[in-house]
Amino acid sequence: MTSQTDPERWLESTGGIEFTADPETVYELGDLGQLVYPLTPVGPGVRGVQTPSELFGAAWYVIPSPRVAGDHPPYPAIPNDPDVIY
């Protein structure tokens, strides 16, 4: 994944939740077990990164204007709660 607006922002992963990335992205992702990020602009949020899909969602959140290349996992599922509007 690369940023369309900041060529210095990127993340690469070959599977699992191991990755390499630019220093700012590494800093923003921080401790993957404690990271909290929204799945949509208004929620719900995800706490912790444990799957490749969650890493994809977290990277999508921290990298500005992301562009994806190659095979990638699906975006994390957004809970379907009929009592909540996201």
Side-chain angles (χ1 to χ4, degrees):
M1 179 180 296
T2 59
S3 170
Q4 296 180 64
T5 57
D6 183 351
E8 296 182 16
R9 298 293 302 276
W10 58 273
L11 180 139
E12 291 180 358
S13 178
T14 57
I17 61 170
E18 295 78 32
F19 67 92
T20 55
D22 67 275
E24 186 173 353
T25 298
V26 170
Y27 175 79
E28 287 189 25
L29 291 174
D31 179 358
L32 291 179
Q34 299 298 315
L35 181 67
V36 177
Y37 65 94
L39 291 174
T40 71
V42 295
V46 172
R47 178 176 293 278
V49 172
Q50 300 176 355
T51 68
S53 288
E54 290 170 348
L55 177 61
F56 182 68
W60 193 269
Y61 175 67
V62 301
I63 294 177
S65 192
R67 174 179 35 217
V68 178
D71 293 333
H72 59 82
Y75 194 76
I78 298 172
N80 185 8
D81 185 340
D83 297 326
V84 178
I85 298 173
Y86 297 113

